[in-house]
Amino acid sequence: MKENKALKYIIAALSVAYVAFHMYTAAYGTFVPQLQRPLHLAFAVVIGFLCYPMAQKKDFRWLDAILAIVSLFAFGYMAFKYQEVSMRQSMVTPLSTLDIIVGGIVIALLLELTRRAVGWVMSVIAIIFLAYTVFGPYMPSLISHRGYGLVDIIDYQVFGLDGIYSIPLSISATYIVLFIILGTLMEFTGAGDVIMDIGKAVAGGFRGGPAKVATISSALFGSISGSAAANVYATGTFTIPMMKKIGYTPSFSGAVEAVASTGGQIMPPIMGAAAFLMAELLGIPYIQICKAALIPALLYYISLFIVLDFEAARTGIRGLEKKELPKWKDILPRLYLMLPLVVLVAILMMGYTPFRSAYYAIILTFILSFFSRKTRFTFASFLDAIIISAKRTVMIAAACGAAGIVIGVITLTGIGLSLSSVILSLSGGVRIFALLLVMVSSIIMGMGTPTTVAYIVVSTLSVPIMKELGYAALPAHLFVFYFAVLSMITPPVALAAYAAADIAKESSMKIGFTAMRIGAIVFTIPFIFLQDQALLMKGPALMIAFRFIMAVLSAVAFAGAATGWFGKNMNLIGRAILLVAFGLIISPEVITTFIGTGVLAAMWFLKGMFAVSKQPGMQASA
């Protein structure tokens, strides 16, 4: 008992110091990268080994304590030597014996913490890439390289800014940690409850209401959440039981929440923190990323909303009863809790950095908590918020460090260019086939990793291929990011589906495949904006508006084809015609778009010709 109490005090003290360090650097400026990043990772690893035990049994806690102490010295050594590291030339200046030993320990500890905090998938990926660095000479000629020894690997990965301490950890050590703190504080003030009540009030009473509530609340909550799985737990705890209550099956209920929660990662302003990485990699203002991502994000949720509406009409699922809906008069007085997000965006639009904007939003969130007795921070609740913020940061920091290992291997060995050659060769030079291969590879590489890390990996490997195909940098980055996010609902490793399965008490694989069926339409959106960049806010305002409206109409056509309902239950011929209308509408040629719109309109008026009688048991199949 005393041991557990002492451990809690240690974790609390470290968490307070961790958050205080980042709030200080947000207010007064960051240290040089060779100090800021190692200090950030040192805190994360030490806290991580204490928060993520090897096993639940107390017998192993002594081992966790030893690893935490070793981590303190190993990662602290990197921070202590920051001046020397900043002056040396990677792969040229020799390392001392102590440097080599400490560097090896750093890599080993980081991989172990990644396994515990992020999952074995990311850890195994990093290990495979490290093995590739050694065994390059024995690989097929297309991906072979000269090979590197252990000392070279430690030098490149640890004692410079090209491996573990590269751009992913830089973003984690500056922007991401502040947005994690902001999101956690907003959760503690009740912003999540406000979001849920808004969703219920807006859509709860319509047919299939709870499914639409999940869509709206997850879109809003996703803007402050850095994780699709966290989004599922935050909103799905309420929406999944609601959906089951009105007649949806557990697999359908969990799938709706998984798809809706995953979309939160592409919703500005935070986008699972990947927007900051994208801005850094592209060298453009963060607000431009948000601007370009806005219409694809809206299309994601509008498309899902339409599919759910058609599915509810097909199966006869009703909405919530009036007595179950919150009243606007109870919601409006609490809307001030959302003010930090408004201020965040406003400060960004004024030209300030995301770093400074998040800092002011955190301060405002803390102040606003005192406007009501229910939301007011006490010492205990504030300490809990800080500890949770630190624990969430541990996962991201470890994942970014492991992603840095992958990036280090890619830049050291040049495998990125080799993979580009493989994909271009397999596609036979046909652009659509190449894009489909990039889509599949982005989904596979994104599986089992947090949103930010998934984006880091796929952007490093796939964006060069997109550029080879002739696409501009921003659309290419958004394309691969979008599919990396969709890995969260794509079996076999679908993290959002796993989280939903836990709440719905259903098979995660069943939920994953149902999620892919429900969300089939969202897999088409990146292809649409890639060929029609008006959807990325490029071009005249009238053309942007026209293309957005046409994209929504295409979603209507696709939803009708996918669900088999378009005012009436449609036969196979009717569904095929709707699919053709979808293809015509999304064409970049205006004439073809108008033809597709005409076909869709004709289908609505002639739907009786393609109607079939409602099959028994349809509702159960929802």
Side-chain angles (χ1 to χ4, degrees), residues 288-591:
Q288 284 189 26
I289 303 293
C290 292
K291 180 182 172 184
L294 180 59
I295 289 180
L298 290 175
L299 285 175
Y300 183 104
Y301 280 106
I302 290 170
S303 301
L304 178 59
F305 203 87
I306 294 168
V307 167
L308 295 176
D309 184 68
F310 285 11
E311 186 78 11
R314 182 182 72 83
T315 55
I317 297 284
R318 299 187 304 274
L320 296 172
E321 294 181 18
K322 195 171 183 179
K323 63 182 180 182
E324 297 177 281
L325 301 175
K327 294 179 173 58
W328 280 107
K329 67 177 184 179
D330 298 325
I331 298 173
L332 293 175
R334 295 182 290 145
L335 280 181
Y336 71 90
L337 292 171
M338 305 302 294
L339 192 58
L341 285 183
V342 177
V343 170
L344 173 73
V345 175
I347 295 175
L348 283 169
M349 294 184 74
M350 290 166 61
Y352 287 90
T353 63
F355 194 57
R356 184 52 56 93
S357 304
Y359 172 75
Y360 287 129
I362 290 168
I363 300 299
L364 179 60
T365 303
F366 180 75
I367 294 170
L368 290 176
S369 76
F370 290 93
F371 282 28
S372 168
R373 226 177 250 176
K374 291 181 181 178
T375 62
R376 189 175 300 155
F377 276 114
T378 62
F379 176 79
S381 65
F382 188 62
L383 186 60
D384 283 344
I386 287 175
I387 293 170
I388 291 171
S389 297
K391 190 173 181 180
R392 288 175 176 173
T393 304
V394 165
M395 187 186 77
I396 295 297
C400 285
I405 290 176
V406 173
I407 289 174
V409 172
I410 291 168
T411 55
L412 182 62
T413 63
I415 188 179
L417 294 173
S418 301
L419 286 176
S420 297
S421 301
V422 170
I423 286 183
L424 292 172
S425 175
L426 287 173
S427 68
V430 180
R431 183 178 283 193
I432 186 62
F433 291 155
L435 289 176
L436 288 170
L437 287 170
V438 170
M439 176 192 80
V440 172
S441 62
S442 295
I443 290 172
I444 291 171
M445 289 185 288
M447 284 181 179
T449 58
T451 302
T452 311
V453 179
Y455 166 65
I456 294 165
V457 175
V458 301
S459 65
T460 305
L461 290 171
S462 299
V463 167
I465 301 169
M466 299 288 290
K467 289 181 179 177
E468 285 280 335
L469 294 170
Y471 293 105
L474 180 56
H477 276 265
L478 286 173
F479 183 88
V480 299
F481 167 61
Y482 202 109
F483 283 115
V485 168
L486 289 179
S487 70
M488 304 294 167
I489 58 167
T490 309
V493 187
L495 294 185
Y498 288 169
D502 185 32
I503 301 170
K505 308 303 178 191
E506 180 59 277
S507 159
S508 59
M509 292 298 286
K510 194 172 181 181
I511 286 178
F513 284 113
T514 306
M516 284 189 70
R517 178 175 69 83
I518 295 168
I521 188 170
V522 302
F523 283 81
T524 68
I525 293 173
F527 292 95
I528 297 172
F529 71 63
L530 204 59
Q531 67 176 351
D532 191 355
Q533 293 191 29
L535 296 176
L536 299 180
M537 299 279 197
K538 300 271 187 182
L542 282 176
M543 181 55 74
I544 292 170
F546 170 73
R547 282 303 181 185
F548 176 67
I549 293 168
M550 291 301 103
V552 172
L553 285 178
S554 75
V556 172
F558 191 98
T563 62
W565 188 91
F566 192 64
K568 291 181 180 291
N569 291 296
M570 308 299 290
N571 61 22
L572 288 176
I573 296 173
R575 294 172 77 166
I577 294 172
L578 287 171
L579 201 57
V580 170
F582 163 76
L584 292 170
I585 293 170
I586 64 170
S587 168
E589 299 295 329
V590 175
I591 294 175

Side-chain angles (χ1 to χ4, degrees), residues 94-225:
L95 297 175
S96 68
T97 303
L98 182 60
D99 289 339
I100 295 168
I101 293 170
V102 171
I105 292 171
V106 163
I107 293 174
L109 289 174
L110 178 60
L111 290 172
E112 169 58 13
L113 180 63
T114 302
R115 183 192 67 78
R116 296 188 188 192
V118 184
W120 62 267
V121 174
M122 188 64 213
S123 191
V124 168
I125 288 172
I127 291 169
I128 290 171
F129 271 83
L130 286 172
Y132 171 73
T133 312
V134 176
F135 297 108
Y138 311 103
M139 296 289 170
S141 59
L142 201 57
I143 58 169
S144 66
H145 60 88
R146 69 179 182 86
Y148 295 88
L150 183 62
V151 174
D152 285 338
I153 292 171
I154 291 171
D155 189 331
Y156 197 81
Q157 292 286 356
V158 181
F159 290 90
L161 301 179
D162 298 305
I164 290 172
Y165 298 105
S166 57
I167 286 177
L169 198 70
S170 167
I171 305 302
S172 174
T174 51
Y175 304 144
I176 295 176
V177 62
L178 292 175
F179 278 89
I180 289 172
I181 296 168
L182 172 62
T184 305
L185 291 183
M186 288 189 70
E187 285 179 42
F188 269 75
T189 61
D193 295 334
V194 176
I195 287 169
M196 181 61 65
D197 285 346
I198 290 172
K200 284 184 184 178
V202 171
F206 295 101
R207 62 190 180 198
K212 295 172 182 175
V213 170
T215 302
I216 294 173
S217 58
S218 295
L220 294 172
F221 191 83
S223 66
I224 63 171
S225 166

Side-chain angles (χ1 to χ4, degrees), residues 64-104:
D64 298 323
I66 290 173
L67 290 176
I69 293 168
V70 173
S71 299
L72 180 64
F73 283 101
F75 287 87
Y77 178 82
M78 301 307 304
F80 178 75
K81 291 196 65 173
Y82 81 94
Q83 287 181 315
E84 186 179 323
V85 169
S86 63
M87 297 294 291
R88 73 183 300 274
Q89 284 186 286
S90 184
M91 309 286 284
V92 175
T93 308
L95 297 175
S96 68
T97 303
L98 182 60
D99 289 339
I100 295 168
I101 293 170
V102 171

